[in-house]
Amino acid sequence: MVWLPLLSTLAGAAIGIVATLIADRNRWKREDVKDALRLRLDVYTQYTTAVKVLGDTLRALAAREHSSDDERALALREAFRESGIATASERMWLIAPDPVVGASNSVFHCLRRICDGYVAGTAVSSPEDHARWEARGKAAARMRKLMREDLGVGPLTERHSTS
């Protein structure tokens, strides 16, 4: 009977240690999930920003007067290369789930077609240009929807005003 209090104390201590280890493990898992979510948010933000800036840059360059078609083509290709979209795309391929990667790749190819169209001489605001931008807009909307779903954010209920 002298051992009974000692054994019950040891059993209580063992239960306490195991419970603490389980709680620590669960806390670590929650933090790991939060860190992964923050990383994906960073990657998504970098990519969507690169998409927006590149689109604005391509349109501005295409609307600008150039001394030759070759100079225009060079400026457009250089803008595409220097935009950071290729690096952002690679980060997307490493971090994002397949549906988001596919959607972001669609946006990338839409921008590539816009750039190639401008290089080939498509005029800003022409029907061809409008169609390419509309395709990019639809692809970007799908990409953002999938990104929001992946991040656990609900759908947008109202659009941002343009004013």
Side-chain angles (χ1 to χ4, degrees):
M1 288 208 208
V2 175
W3 291 100
L4 192 57
L6 181 59
L7 288 175
S8 63
T9 301
L10 285 172
I15 290 171
I17 290 170
V18 169
T20 301
L21 290 173
I22 290 171
D24 285 346
R25 172 78 173 146
N26 288 339
R27 190 175 320 110
W28 176 81
K29 281 182 179 179
R30 281 191 306 273
E31 287 302 315
D32 194 39
V33 167
K34 285 180 186 177
D35 288 344
L37 192 64
R38 282 187 210 108
L39 177 60
R40 287 195 316 276
L41 176 60
D42 178 53
V43 168
Y44 295 169
T45 302
Q46 180 190 20
Y47 192 79
T48 56
T49 301
V51 164
K52 173 73 171 133
V53 170
L54 177 57
D56 291 347
T57 302
L58 291 175
R59 184 173 276 161
L61 285 171
R64 186 180 303 160
E65 289 292 324
H66 297 276
S67 61
S68 70
D69 289 343
D70 288 341
E71 181 189 312
R72 179 184 187 190
L74 181 64
L76 288 161
R77 288 186 179 120
E78 187 174 318
F80 202 97
R81 192 173 34 259
E82 292 180 2
S83 69
I85 197 162
T87 301
S89 181
E90 287 300 320
R91 288 187 78 200
M92 188 73 72
W93 279 86
L94 292 172
I95 300 300
D98 287 342
V100 176
V101 169
S104 68
N105 201 37
S106 292
V107 173
F108 180 92
H109 288 291
C110 285
L111 285 167
R112 182 85 254 169
R113 284 188 289 276
I114 289 168
C115 182
D116 291 344
Y118 289 150
V119 166
T122 300
V124 174
S125 298
S126 68
E128 291 172 78
D129 185 46
H130 180 72
R132 288 184 185 114
W133 279 101
E134 188 173 325
R136 193 223 48 101
K138 288 178 182 178
R142 181 175 176 273
M143 176 188 70
R144 285 190 302 273
K145 177 184 177 290
L146 290 169
M147 287 174 173
R148 291 178 66 83
E149 287 174 3
D150 180 47
L151 294 171
V153 179
L156 290 173
T157 54
E158 64 182 60
R159 297 188 55 90
H160 295 284
S161 69
T162 56
S163 55

